[in-house]
Coordinates of all heavy atoms in Angstrom, one line a residue:
A1451 N 87.0 99.0 93.4 CA 86.7 98.9 94.8 C 87.1 97.6 95.3 O 86.9 96.5 94.6 CB 85.2 99.2 95.1
A1452 N 87.7 97.5 96.5 CA 88.2 96.2 97.0 C 88.1 96.1 98.5 O 88.0 97.1 99.2 CB 89.7 96.0 96.5
L1453 N 88.2 94.8 98.9 CA 88.2 94.5 100.3 C 89.6 94.1 100.7 O 90.3 93.3 100.1 CB 87.3 93.3 100.6 CG 87.2 92.8 102.0 CD1 86.6 93.8 103.0 CD2 86.5 91.4 102.0
E1454 N 90.1 94.7 101.8 CA 91.5 94.3 102.3 C 91.3 93.6 103.7 O 90.4 93.9 104.5 CB 92.3 95.6 102.6 CG 92.6 96.4 101.4 CD 93.4 97.6 101.7 OE1 93.6 97.9 103.0 OE2 93.8 98.4 100.8
V1455 N 92.2 92.6 103.9 CA 92.1 91.8 105.1 C 93.6 91.8 105.7 O 94.5 91.5 105.0 CB 91.7 90.3 104.9 CG1 91.8 89.5 106.1 CG2 90.2 90.3 104.3
Y1456 N 93.7 92.0 107.0 CA 94.9 92.1 107.7 C 95.0 91.0 108.7 O 94.6 91.2 109.9 CB 95.1 93.5 108.4 CG 95.2 94.6 107.4 CD1 94.0 95.1 106.8 CD2 96.4 95.2 107.1 CE1 94.1 96.2 105.9 CE2 96.5 96.2 106.1 CZ 95.4 96.7 105.6 OH 95.4 97.7 104.6
P1457 N 95.5 89.8 108.3 CA 95.4 88.6 109.2 C 96.2 88.7 110.5 O 96.0 88.0 111.5 CB 95.8 87.5 108.3 CG 96.7 88.1 107.3 CD 96.1 89.5 107.1
T1458 N 97.3 89.5 110.5 CA 98.2 89.5 111.6 C 97.8 90.5 112.7 O 98.5 90.5 113.8 CB 99.6 89.8 111.2 OG1 99.7 91.2 110.6 CG2 100.1 88.8 110.1
V1459 N 96.7 91.2 112.5 CA 96.3 92.2 113.5 C 96.0 91.5 114.8 O 96.3 92.0 115.9 CB 95.0 92.9 113.0 CG1 94.3 93.6 114.2 CG2 95.4 93.9 112.0
F1460 N 95.4 90.3 114.8 CA 95.1 89.5 116.0 C 96.3 89.1 116.7 O 96.2 88.6 117.9 CB 94.2 88.4 115.6 CG 93.0 88.8 114.9 CD1 92.8 88.6 113.5 CD2 91.9 89.4 115.6 CE1 91.7 89.0 112.9 CE2 90.8 89.8 114.9 CZ 90.7 89.6 113.6
L1461 N 97.5 89.1 116.1 CA 98.7 88.7 116.8 C 99.5 89.8 117.3 O 100.5 89.6 118.0 CB 99.6 87.9 115.8 CG 98.9 86.7 115.1 CD1 99.9 86.0 114.1 CD2 98.5 85.7 116.1
E1462 N 99.1 91.0 117.0 CA 99.8 92.2 117.5 C 99.7 92.5 119.0 O 98.6 92.2 119.5 CB 99.4 93.4 116.7 CG 99.8 93.3 115.2 CD 99.4 94.6 114.4 OE1 98.8 95.5 115.0 OE2 99.6 94.6 113.2
Q1463 N 100.6 93.1 119.5 CA 100.5 93.7 120.9 C 99.9 95.1 120.7 O 100.5 96.0 120.0 CB 101.9 93.8 121.6 CG 102.5 92.4 121.8 CD 101.6 91.5 122.6 OE1 101.1 92.0 123.7 NE2 101.5 90.3 122.3
Y1464 N 98.8 95.4 121.2 CA 98.1 96.6 121.0 C 98.7 97.8 121.8 O 98.1 98.4 122.6 CB 96.6 96.5 121.3 CG 96.0 95.5 120.3 CD1 95.7 94.2 120.7 CD2 95.6 95.9 119.0 CE1 95.1 93.3 119.8 CE2 95.0 95.0 118.2 CZ 94.8 93.7 118.6 OH 94.2 92.8 117.7
D1465 N 99.9 98.2 121.4 CA 100.6 99.2 122.0 C 100.9 100.4 121.1 O 101.9 101.1 121.2 CB 101.9 98.7 122.7 CG 102.8 98.0 121.7 OD1 102.4 97.9 120.6 OD2 103.9 97.7 122.1
G1466 N 100.1 100.6 120.1 CA 100.4 101.6 119.1 C 100.9 101.0 117.8 O 101.5 99.9 117.8
L1467 N 100.9 101.7 116.7 CA 101.2 101.2 115.4 C 102.7 101.6 115.0 O 103.2 101.1 114.0 CB 100.3 101.8 114.4 CG 98.8 101.3 114.5 CD1 98.0 102.0 113.4 CD2 98.7 99.8 114.3
Q1468 N 103.3 102.5 115.7 CA 104.6 103.0 115.3 C 105.6 101.8 115.2 O 105.8 101.0 116.1 CB 105.1 104.0 116.3 CG 106.5 104.6 115.8 CD 106.9 105.8 116.7 OE1 106.1 106.2 117.5 NE2 108.0 106.3 116.4
G1469 N 106.2 101.8 114.0 CA 107.3 100.7 113.8 C 106.7 99.4 113.5 O 107.4 98.4 113.5
K1470 N 105.4 99.2 113.2 CA 104.8 98.0 113.0 C 104.7 97.6 111.5 O 104.4 98.5 110.7 CB 103.4 97.9 113.6 CG 103.3 98.0 115.1 CD 104.0 96.7 115.7 CE 103.9 96.7 117.2 NZ 102.6 96.7 117.7
L1471 N 105.0 96.3 111.2 CA 104.8 95.8 109.9 C 103.5 95.1 109.8 O 103.2 94.2 110.6 CB 106.0 94.9 109.5 CG 106.0 94.3 108.1 CD1 106.3 95.4 107.1 CD2 107.0 93.2 108.0
R1472 N 102.7 95.4 108.8 CA 101.3 94.9 108.8 C 101.1 94.3 107.4 O 100.7 95.1 106.4 CB 100.3 95.9 109.2 CG 98.9 95.4 109.2 CD 97.9 96.4 109.9 NE 98.1 96.4 111.3 CZ 97.3 97.1 112.2 NH1 96.3 97.9 111.7 NH2 97.5 97.1 113.4
P1473 N 101.2 93.0 107.1 CA 100.8 92.4 105.8 C 99.3 92.4 105.5 O 98.5 92.3 106.5 CB 101.5 91.0 105.9 CG 101.5 90.7 107.3 CD 101.7 92.1 108.1
Y1474 N 99.0 92.2 104.3 CA 97.5 92.2 104.0 C 97.3 91.5 102.6 O 98.3 91.3 101.8 CB 96.9 93.6 104.0 CG 97.5 94.5 102.9 CD1 97.0 94.6 101.6 CD2 98.6 95.3 103.2 CE1 97.5 95.4 100.6 CE2 99.1 96.1 102.2 CZ 98.6 96.2 101.0 OH 99.2 97.0 100.0
A1475 N 96.1 91.1 102.4 CA 95.7 90.6 101.1 C 94.4 91.4 100.6 O 93.7 91.9 101.5 CB 95.3 89.1 101.2
M1476 N 94.3 91.5 99.3 CA 93.2 92.3 98.8 C 92.5 91.7 97.6 O 93.2 91.0 96.8 CB 93.7 93.7 98.5 CG 92.7 94.7 98.0 SD 93.4 95.9 96.8 CE 93.4 95.0 95.3
M1477 N 91.2 91.8 97.4 CA 90.5 91.4 96.2 C 89.3 92.3 96.0 O 88.7 92.8 97.0 CB 90.1 90.0 96.3 CG 89.3 89.5 95.1 SD 88.9 87.7 95.1 CE 90.6 87.0 95.0
G1478 N 89.0 92.6 94.7 CA 87.9 93.5 94.4 C 87.4 93.4 93.0 O 87.7 92.4 92.3
L1479 N 86.7 94.3 92.6 CA 86.1 94.4 91.2 C 86.3 95.8 90.7 O 86.1 96.8 91.5 CB 84.6 94.0 91.3 CG 83.9 93.9 89.9 CD1 84.5 92.8 89.1 CD2 82.4 93.8 90.1
G1480 N 86.7 95.9 89.4 CA 86.9 97.2 88.9 C 86.5 97.3 87.4 O 86.1 96.4 86.8

């Protein structure tokens, strides 16, 4: 199980997700 964070969401123009590149980082325990 892990937590994902999408830091660039706050920089996006909120006009839909189509064609969007969304980087992320993740960390968890298993």
Side-chain angles (χ1 to χ4, degrees):
L1453 177 70
E1454 296 180 355
V1455 176
Y1456 294 81
T1458 63
V1459 165
F1460 303 103
L1461 304 178
E1462 293 178 2
Q1463 299 298 315
Y1464 294 99
D1465 56 356
L1467 295 176
Q1468 185 171 356
K1470 291 296 181 64
L1471 183 68
R1472 185 168 283 185
Y1474 62 89
M1476 185 209 78
M1477 180 175 289
L1479 184 65

